[in-house]
Amino acid sequence: MSVTPQATPSYREVVDTNGRVYRVGESDRSILGRPRAWMVWLPWIAMMGVSVYEYGYSSAESTLEHAHGWTLTEAFWIASIWAVFQAGVAFPAGRLRETGKLSAKTGMLLGAVLSGLGFLSISHVSNPIVVILGYSVLGGAGSGLVYATCINMVGKWYPDNKGARTGFVNGGFAYGTLPLIFVFSYWFHADNYRLVLDLIALGMVLLVGGCGFFFRDPPKSWWPHDVDPLNRGGGEDAERMARRLRKNPPAKGQFTPMQAIRTGQLPLMWFALVCIGGVSLFGINFQVPFAKSLGFGPLIAASSAGVLAVVNGVGRAAVGWLSDTMGRRQTLTLVLVIAGVAQFGVLWSGQAHNEPLFLIFAFVNGFGGGAFYPLFAALVPDYFGENNNATNYGLVYSAKLVGGVGGGGLAASVISAWGYSGGYYLAGGIAFLSALITLLLRQPGLARGPGAARHAGRCRQPRADRRGELSERPGATSRPGPQTVRGCVHSVGRRRQSSGAAPVARVGPDGGVRSLLRPAPTTLPCQVPWLR
């Protein structure tokens, strides 16, 4: 009895007028076995699982000081060094991931274990040096692995519409800790802190590890099969997508890290994130201590932290949606201006002992102090492409190495010397400087050789099969093989056909491919609606 081989999904490569390649034809279900929306929901849940590291520590800090005998400076240097390793792991992890040495699944499982070990260290160890090794180094690296993997996963699966979804996932890193903020403020004491921290560590490992088990990257240059990357419109949904792509056009190429650095745009992003990252961590670390120093009760202090975390998270999703319609860079500048205003508002309302106004500015501070993260995360692939996004965004996110030190340990020293007034005035000025830097951001172009125009606007055959008549070539089991085309557009304005294939491709006046050749009857049917 003969066995009919199972057909594998097929793809084609489309090249736009900038020379960028789009791999189209494979649906998300054919790669994942489920809708790509899973790569939004699972990262969102995992981000909430590790959010307590950044947004819960300040609420637990006073109890930890009392239980372990730490000073305020020691407690916040632990948080500052955590921020260094949480941000610092993004680039090497991204490099390993892009080269295939570390899969997304493995990175998530490793991150879950390290994150759990970090919380066990502050539960059972009092020596600050050992806590730094456990909580700051291991916990920072673990939560950084989770953060970087989740954020980059969204951009890879939604290259056509990444803003709102990146913001939604990023928001989980803020408001996910809300229940624990109130636990730390009301039911976290020296006689039960070990039990609470041990349960958090266990829950973190199970939640993050369970989500990460299903993580998987799409193929390089993958583009959704039902979205036209050449942005021509046609139909209400297609026209809406075309408007969105005009506001945030795809990158003009797939930039390597060194190419991205040479454009000058990545260093500008890095410096802007250094500035605003330090301001954000300053607000997270010192808003509750500032409220307590003013004599505000635990309800106001905890509520201000809760408001900051919730609005910080919800604001990330909101600005992601806004950036899809308003433009990524314009939205980023607006958010940074709001963050600057918020620093002065928190200070002035606190000094006036106006509790309602203090909560309002805590709301504004929460929005401005976190909404920029998904905008940077979406701007990097917008400027430099998705293929090297884990590495490129890792470089930009490494700015938190510097910002974390500034917003934690150095800020504690500033407050000791100048008081909270000096700290908040300095933070507000730095936020405005960051907003000014973003005005210089522009999407970079690629240097193109004299032959680049010949390849624009065509369907590219796979490199290994470009001679003669082509047929379907199966790929490796982990990557579907390409459906090659017998006859395709080889140059703008002219059609060339292999023997036996009917020419059905044409090129519009703008150089875009209006349709492609239909495959021969022996090949898989085309699954790309806009190519038919």
Side-chain angles (χ1 to χ4, degrees):
M1 183 177 65
S2 61
V3 178
T4 303
Q6 184 178 3
T8 58
S10 60
Y11 67 82
R12 296 173 179 177
E13 291 180 335
V14 175
V15 184
D16 66 13
T17 54
N18 293 305
R20 173 174 171 173
V21 177
Y22 302 86
R23 174 172 170 155
V24 298
E26 300 155 298
S27 70
D28 48 353
R29 291 178 181 271
S30 69
I31 300 171
L32 279 173
R34 56 184 65 90
R36 59 177 173 160
W38 278 63
M39 294 299 105
V40 173
W41 292 109
L42 291 178
W44 175 67
I45 295 170
M47 290 280 270
M48 289 196 290
V50 296
S51 63
V52 64
Y53 266 102
E54 183 158 320
Y55 289 87
Y57 184 84
S58 64
S59 298
E61 171 267 328
S62 60
T63 298
L64 293 174
E65 278 187 43
H66 177 71
H68 294 306
W70 299 339
T71 64
L72 176 66
T73 302
E74 286 175 336
F76 279 106
W77 270 113
I78 290 170
S80 296
I81 296 173
W82 168 86
V84 168
F85 281 88
Q86 189 262 346
V89 77
F91 174 72
R95 186 66 178 168
L96 291 172
R97 186 172 164 196
E98 302 295 5
T99 56
K101 297 178 181 177
L102 180 72
S103 68
K105 176 181 175 179
T106 302
M108 289 292 291
L109 296 178
L110 179 60
V113 173
L114 293 178
S115 297
L117 290 175
F119 258 78
L120 288 177
S121 69
I122 60 169
S123 173
H124 297 279
V125 180
S126 296
N127 187 308
I129 302 300
V130 179
V131 170
I132 286 173
L133 292 176
Y135 181 86
S136 304
V137 177
L138 296 182
S143 56
L145 273 173
V146 174
Y147 183 96
T149 305
C150 291
I151 289 299
N152 291 315
M153 183 64 68
V154 179
K156 288 175 180 289
W157 280 105
Y158 284 89
D160 55 311
N161 188 15
K162 64 180 72 72
R165 290 169 177 84
T166 301
F168 173 73
V169 171
N170 204 290
F173 194 63
Y175 53 67
T177 194
L178 179 62
L180 293 178
I181 288 176
F182 286 92
V183 169
F184 289 149
S185 298
Y186 285 98
W187 299 288
F188 186 65
H189 309 291
D191 57 348
N192 71 348
Y193 75 97
R194 283 196 174 95
L195 175 63
V196 173
L197 295 177
D198 288 347
L199 290 174
I200 291 173
L202 177 62
M204 196 179 300
V205 172
L206 295 177
L207 186 65
V208 175
C211 293
F213 186 80
F214 298 97
F215 273 39
R216 182 178 177 184
D217 283 328
K220 294 283 188 182
S221 303
W222 180 81
W223 190 266
H225 72 289
D226 54 349
V227 178
D228 181 1
L230 300 181
N231 191 17
R232 296 185 300 270
E236 184 177 348
D237 291 340
E239 289 175 1
R240 186 183 303 114
M241 180 60 66
R243 288 194 300 270
R244 189 173 293 152
L245 290 176
R246 281 192 293 270
K247 273 294 181 183
N248 300 290
K252 296 178 180 178
Q254 301 290 351
F255 289 72
T256 64
M258 285 308 301
Q259 288 174 332
I261 291 171
R262 291 191 192 104
T263 66
Q265 297 302 306
L266 191 144
L268 278 177
M269 291 185 191
W270 186 88
F271 188 58
L273 188 54
V274 165
C275 295
I276 195 60
V279 173
S280 175
L281 288 171
F282 171 79
I284 293 167
N285 289 331
F286 293 100
Q287 186 165 285
V288 171
F290 177 51
K292 291 179 178 179
S293 73
L294 297 169
F296 292 163
L299 177 61
I300 294 297
S303 296
S304 70
V307 166
L308 185 147
V310 171
V311 178
N312 193 305
V314 174
R316 296 182 191 207
V319 298
W321 169 83
L322 180 63
S323 73
D324 282 337
T325 55
M326 179 178 171
R328 215 85 69 201
R329 203 277 304 161
Q330 295 85 344
T331 307
L332 177 60
T333 303
L334 175 63
V335 165
L336 300 185
V337 170
I338 292 173
V341 172
Q343 307 309 309
F344 297 103
V346 169
L347 175 64
W348 295 335
S349 60
Q351 291 176 334
H353 290 83
N354 189 324
E355 293 182 355
L357 192 60
F358 183 81
L359 288 177
I360 290 173
F361 277 108
F363 179 100
V364 178
N365 194 26
F367 173 81
F372 59 86
Y373 278 116
L375 294 175
F376 278 111
L379 199 62
V380 170
D382 279 350
Y383 277 28
F384 309 119
E386 292 78 25
N387 283 0
N388 300 296
N389 185 42
T391 309
N392 290 333
Y393 183 63
L395 281 173
V396 174
Y397 194 67
S398 69
K400 197 174 177 181
L401 289 165
V402 181
V405 174
L410 288 180
S413 301
V414 169
I415 290 171
S416 298
W418 299 347
Y420 283 104
S421 296
Y424 273 101
Y425 280 127
L426 182 61
I430 292 174
F432 288 134
L433 173 63
S434 182
L436 289 174
I437 294 171
T438 62
L439 296 177
L440 303 176
L441 293 175
R442 299 289 186 274
Q443 188 184 56
L446 280 178
R448 297 169 58 192
R454 294 199 304 269
H455 304 288
R458 65 178 175 84
C459 169
R460 192 175 77 175
Q461 298 172 357
R463 185 177 301 275
D465 292 329
R466 290 189 191 169
R467 290 178 296 178
E469 289 203 9
L470 306 176
S471 61
E472 189 176 314
R473 175 170 59 85
T477 56
S478 62
R479 286 288 185 268
Q483 176 187 345
T484 57
V485 185
R486 296 201 298 170
C488 70
V489 180
H490 286 270
S491 62
V492 174
R494 185 172 65 161
R495 291 174 295 179
R496 189 177 298 170
Q497 145 185 21
S498 300
S499 61
V504 294
R506 62 181 183 275
V507 180
D510 61 349
V513 179
R514 294 313 188 206
S515 63
L516 295 177
L517 292 174
R518 295 191 181 277
T522 56
T523 60
L524 289 175
C526 178
Q527 300 180 20
V528 188
W530 51 269
L531 289 181
R532 294 177 179 174

